[in-house]
Amino acid sequence: MNNEQKCPHYKKCGGCQIQNLTYEKQLEFKMKKVVKLIGKFHYVDKIIGMDNPYHYRNKVQAAFGRDKKGQIISGVYQSSTHRIVPVDNCLIEDEKADEIIVTIRKLIKSFKLKPFDDNKMVGFLRHVLVKRGFSSGEIMVVLVTGTEEFKSKRSFINALLERHPEITTIVQNINNRRTSLVLGEKSVVLYGDGVIKEQLCGYTFTISPKAFYQINPVQTEALYGKAMEFADIKKTDIVIDAYCGTGTIGIIASKYAGHVYGVELNRDAVNDARKNAKLNNIENIDFVCADAGRYMVNLAEEKLKADVVIMDPPRAGSDVKFLKSVVKLSPKKVVYISCNPETLARDLMFLSKNKYKVRKIQPVDMFPHTEHIECVVLLTR
Ligand code: SAH
């Protein structure tokens, strides 16, 4: 059966590249791709799919503008253009978040506020970002505006809260630059405490407007569960959580470990990671703000030991500096979490040629309907 009719925006939006396939076929497609790229290293376990592969995104973003008739619209940029495709309901986004965005669009019209015009660089509302904690129920709304001035701010906030009392915090973020980045430097909290809390694998995490947080909470539990199973950490083990972001993986690993060191380049993320460790009363974890490769080189030079290295690099994958020092540090196990099987293949090739052997490959479908593929791989010395 063909799925195409399900989403009217499929062709223009371009966000869900393989939505024309049934979910079973999507999983087959992803399995084939993983086998083709990294099947030569080891047998690939069956991909973990979702029971309900819809509305899984806990983070939703909408751009605001006007159509040809001058009507206010909100939606997504047509792939590789700057044209907004109006979208009120998206099959992969959280439904509550979509509802809130539609309400905001109606409200800005009645408050006579203007959407931002990227060409003329005038107007007010540029984007709305909504993040929802699926288990905590907390909801953050970020209004990204082209100016700091916010006409009828109080009444606007009250009107929004009246329509959606489930919102727990509202932030104004000011972005007055000519940029394709959604968020600007400055944020002002308008309601609540400016962050939301969310539970994952039994721990609580704070999510701020800018911080990276996995967008599919259901599958993140499956992914991290597999990573912990593969890592099989012992009470005396020294564990490294490389590319740790806000510390989620390291914090989950800390329960089983002697000590965990998290390393991350982004300073804000490191600060969040430290706060998260404190929030969960975890004492056997430290976070370092550094380039993961450099940090590993230092560890190797100081002849420190690590038993397990868990690494979760961005799409570009790791680098030779990092991989070489992994080899030098020589942990018993490396658990590699990857969101890009192409760079994963390259990095596994390096490790396979340097005394590591791939023992397990587990793909997890973190992004149904899109072409993106996540894998967790166990290597041992
Ligand atoms: N493990 C985290 C985050 C993974 S995203 C989680 O699951 O939530 C990848 C992270 O790598 C990002 O936070 C990014 O800031 C960080 N990063 C990118 N390049 C890096 C480098 N050279 N050294 C350390 N961290 C890096």
Side-chain angles (χ1 to χ4, degrees), residues 11-42:
K11 286 210 168 99
K12 273 191 173 169
C13 161
C16 294
Q17 301 86 358
I18 56 170
Q19 203 185 65
N20 56 321
L21 303 177
T22 60
Y23 191 52
E24 287 72 36
K25 289 273 179 238
Q26 292 180 19
L27 294 176
E28 265 173 44
F29 167 86
K30 292 186 183 189
M31 267 307 274
K32 274 194 192 137
K33 195 159 171 197
V34 175
V35 170
K36 188 167 159 230
L37 285 165
I38 57 172
K40 59 177 173 279
F41 296 108
H42 197 271

Side-chain angles (χ1 to χ4, degrees), residues 77 82 116 118 121 126-127 144 173-185:
Y77 289 118
H82 208 62
F116 193 74
D118 295 47
M121 295 295 286
R126 239 176 140 156
H127 301 272
V144 185
N173 173 274
I174 298 114
N175 184 356
N176 52 13
R177 297 214 200 142
R178 207 176 269 283
T179 170
S180 57
L181 294 179
V182 172
L183 294 175
E185 284 299 310

Side-chain angles (χ1 to χ4, degrees), residues 212 214 224 243-245 248-249 264-266 290-292 312-314:
F212 173 87
Q214 294 282 359
Y224 288 178
Y243 309 91
C244 70
T248 40
I249 297 171
E264 161 65 46
L265 198 56
N266 180 311
D291 168 68
D312 184 12

